Amino acid sequence: MVRRVAVVGAGVSGLVATKCCLEEGLEPTCFEQSENVGGLWYYTDQAEEGRASIYRTVFTNSCKEMMCYSDFPFPDDHPNYMHNARLQHYICKYAEHFDLLRHIRFKTLVTKVKKRPDFSVTGQWEVVTRRDGKEETAVFDAVMVCSGHHVYPNLPLAQFPGIQKFKGCYFHSREYKEPEKFRGKKVLVIGLGNSGCDIAVELSTVASQVYLSSRSGSWVMSRVWDNGYPWDMLVITRFRTWLGNILPRAISDWLYVRGMNRFFKHENFGLMPLDRTSRKEPVFNDDLPSRIACGVVVMKPNVKEFRETSVLFQDGTVQDDVDVVVFATGYSYSYPFMEDDSIIKCRDNQVTLYKGILPPRLEKPTIAVIGLVQSLGPIIPTADLQCRWAVKVFQGRWLGKCWVKGYFLTTLQTDYISYMDELASAIGVKPNMLKLLLTDPQLALKVIFGPCSPYQFRLVGPGKWSGARKAILTQWDRTLQ
């Protein structure tokens, strides 16, 4: 029987993991190496070793109605998209509201997680932690890994010939905090992800020139969508997902590309993805197109070679007098505390996990990786549902033969609603559309055609929340407020 659970990290995933354990009568101990909850969203002026790091001006890409914990809405007066400090405040309030803080050991680093010698019988783990230089070992019946994947920077210098002779300054975007010290400089940002675009746009207000280099392009979306409403409340709906699944692929792809080009033609801005029908996560930036149009950000292809003070690009163009290079080249999945690195195996930045949660080939499914799945949807509700599912698995209530025959996510890129529904079905919390139409048609129409907000997974079944129906019916009111 699983009773004691170790939770690694007290970010948005670690907190909901702790809460889910408590709700099921388990005894969680959450280990957090910093002095506060929030993980990625806990801003510090300096990047700290082993911790996620964000820049001062980070805002959320998902709106408040879509990204909240499923039984803890944001306050009515909060803006739809939030600065990191406001989100951090919300995370702290969540921890206080559900009395989670007393289960967290702050300033405690997990240094080793290893199977007990009798693991094949007990499924137990030995967890070694360090606090104030002292090591401590404890035995747990299960482990929930909630350490995130924005910790270990991917800095692929070998792919950039000549970087050693470059006389300017270069660093990973993880080190970037604010723009002032780059005033008057010529800056090259490499990488067209969310961080790369944000940093390029911000630097364009102080730098003499910003160049943004992309290897494969990307779709760029605005947070503000039709009629000024949040993009995700209009895009992430059950009806749209259903339509996308039944339409022929060619029509679905055409509609997708048309939708992405609705505000500006990506080709004209040098942003068009090489694989235009790829459903990989788009970039969210309201300002990049206008910055390009104003000439303060110049799009460039991939770097071919660095020279002492200049950069040669793949199209043969050369940019002279580059002062600074920011590598916004993402992060690598890494779990250095796992003694046996074959348990959570990372190869070419891909991890194979059952349902995107459980490592395969374990005699006992008593370790879960939370928050690693990537989709167009928000991470907080995803982690919320993953934790509810994982705790049921720990207790042996659901898994059976599916463990052998079920599908494994390798790329961890998945469709948000389909994935959420699959987990929800397994634990009995997916709303029954037909039943809803017959018993509560007003709510049913909101669920089917409206945004797939997290409250939908609190309407029925274990963990049902009495405020879910009202939250769904009033979500647009809070958005307008």
Side-chain angles (χ1 to χ4, degrees):
M1 275 292 291
V2 168
R3 189 171 61 89
R4 299 190 68 213
V5 181
V7 178
V8 183
V12 293
S13 300
L15 290 177
V16 74
T18 304
K19 173 178 174 282
C20 286
C21 287
L22 291 169
E23 286 174 342
E24 293 293 336
L26 305 180
E27 297 173 15
T29 303
C30 180
F31 300 103
E32 169 55 46
Q33 73 173 91
S34 75
E35 60 196 16
N36 206 344
V37 299
L40 174 71
W41 297 100
Y42 175 41
Y43 175 83
T44 53
D45 286 326
Q46 299 291 326
E48 297 174 6
E49 186 65 33
R51 271 201 66 232
S53 175
I54 54 174
Y55 34 99
R56 190 181 294 278
T57 54
V58 169
F59 280 79
T60 61
N61 290 330
S62 297
C63 74
K64 64 177 181 179
E65 292 303 309
M66 297 297 284
M67 73 172 295
C68 64
Y69 288 107
S70 56
D71 54 355
F72 193 71
F74 281 94
D76 291 6
D77 61 351
H78 276 41
N80 287 308
Y81 296 100
M82 275 162 286
H83 183 259
N84 61 80
R86 203 183 289 244
L87 180 57
Q88 169 67 5
H89 179 72
Y90 166 79
I91 294 166
C92 291
K93 288 293 179 191
Y94 176 82
E96 290 169 17
H97 181 79
F98 291 105
D99 196 20
L100 306 178
L101 296 173
R102 62 195 177 96
H103 300 279
I104 303 171
R105 294 189 190 174
F106 291 106
K107 296 184 180 177
T108 305
L109 176 68
V110 174
T111 57
K112 195 176 289 183
V113 175
K114 60 180 179 179
K115 292 178 181 177
R116 295 268 290 161
D118 57 356
F119 180 84
S120 59
V121 177
T122 64
Q124 288 183 326
W125 300 85
E126 206 168 88
V127 177
V128 182
T129 56
R130 186 169 65 238
R131 179 186 163 94
D132 298 331
K134 296 176 186 173
E135 282 209 336
E136 190 178 312
T137 302
V139 175
F140 290 90
D141 302 312
V143 177
M144 300 180 84
V145 179
C146 304
S147 52
H149 55 95
H150 293 95
V151 178
Y152 302 99
N154 173 40
L155 195 58
L157 297 182
Q159 296 175 20
F160 296 92
I163 188 68
Q164 300 81 7
K165 58 188 177 191
F166 178 65
K167 288 186 174 178
C169 156
Y170 65 88
F171 57 91
H172 190 272
S173 57
R174 183 177 188 274
E175 306 295 322
Y176 177 82
K177 291 294 177 179
E178 50 193 2
E180 190 52 44
K181 62 180 173 183
F182 303 99
R183 183 170 293 278
K185 308 279 189 187
K186 278 189 180 177
V187 184
L188 168 64
V189 179
I190 298 176
L192 193 63
N194 283 308
S195 295
C197 291
D198 279 356
I199 291 169
V201 165
E202 184 165 275
L203 287 176
S204 72
T205 62
V206 297
S208 64
Q209 185 65 62
V210 175
Y211 305 94
L212 181 54
S213 165
S214 169
R215 185 173 55 188
S216 56
S218 185
W219 295 116
V220 178
M221 286 175 65
S222 172
R223 293 177 178 88
V224 182
W225 206 247
D226 293 348
N227 300 313
Y229 291 115
W231 74 269
D232 39 355
M233 292 187 77
L234 300 175
V235 171
I236 304 177
T237 72
R238 292 184 176 279
F239 179 72
R240 284 181 69 124
T241 298
W242 172 78
L243 205 59
N245 289 336
I246 65 162
L247 287 174
R249 181 74 193 198
I251 296 175
S252 174
D253 286 347
W254 179 79
L255 286 170
Y256 180 77
V257 172
R258 184 169 170 265
M260 287 297 185
N261 273 326
R262 68 192 302 159
F263 295 116
F264 68 95
K265 197 172 181 182
H266 283 64
E267 211 170 351
N268 297 347
F269 285 73
L271 295 165
M272 178 62 85
L274 288 179
D275 180 2
R276 59 173 57 203
T277 59
S278 166
R279 300 299 206 270
K280 75 171 188 177
E281 186 182 358
V283 168
F284 291 93
N285 198 294
D286 304 85
D287 304 312
L288 182 62
S290 69
R291 300 278 85 195
I292 294 171
C294 293
V296 289
V297 173
V298 174
M299 292 305 303
K300 303 297 283 185
N302 200 29
V303 172
K304 186 173 183 180
E305 181 190 21
F306 280 97
R307 296 165 182 173
E308 286 190 356
T309 59
S310 62
V311 181
L312 170 66
F313 295 95
Q314 291 287 2
D315 61 356
T317 58
V318 176
Q319 185 53 57
D320 295 317
D321 305 320
V322 174
D323 301 301
V324 180
V325 180
V326 182
F327 285 93
T329 44
Y331 293 82
S332 301
Y333 303 130
S334 184
Y335 301 93
F337 48 81
M338 293 301 300
E339 187 181 58
D340 180 355
D341 61 9
S342 70
I343 294 173
I344 309 175
K345 202 167 189 174
C346 308
R347 181 180 293 168
D348 298 327
N349 223 22
Q350 293 189 335
V351 188
T352 300
L353 297 168
Y354 177 69
K355 304 287 189 192
I357 303 172
L358 297 180
R361 294 180 295 279
L362 279 179
E363 304 97 310
K364 299 281 185 181
T366 54
I367 187 167
V369 182
I370 305 298
L372 205 54
V373 164
Q374 295 171 346
S375 72
L376 195 56
I379 189 58
I380 290 179
T382 306
D384 191 331
L385 206 46
Q386 284 183 323
C387 290
R388 293 166 72 187
W389 181 90
V391 169
K392 298 289 187 194
V393 171
F394 290 163
Q395 295 181 313
R397 294 191 196 171
W398 182 86
L399 201 58
K401 294 177 183 174
C402 303
W403 173 240
V404 180
K405 297 179 180 177
Y407 78 93
F408 289 79
L409 289 175
T410 302
T411 62
L412 302 177
Q413 189 83 30
T414 184
D415 177 75
Y416 177 70
I417 294 179
S418 302
Y419 179 69
M420 295 286 276
D421 276 353
E422 187 157 348
L423 295 181
S425 293
I427 59 173
V429 300
K430 180 189 170 188
N432 183 317
M433 299 306 153
L434 187 58
K435 187 177 178 183
L436 262 187
L437 277 167
L438 295 172
T439 58
D440 194 340
Q442 182 193 12
L443 179 63
L445 293 173
K446 300 280 187 189
V447 168
I448 295 167
F449 295 102
C452 185
S453 44
Y455 323 120
Q456 293 191 10
F457 302 103
R458 292 283 178 179
L459 286 169
V460 295
K464 178 181 175 180
W465 173 48
S466 59
R469 182 182 185 276
K470 185 183 177 185
I472 293 169
L473 295 178
T474 56
Q475 57 197 358
W476 284 108
D477 299 333
R478 287 189 298 280
T479 300
L480 286 170
Q481 190 172 335

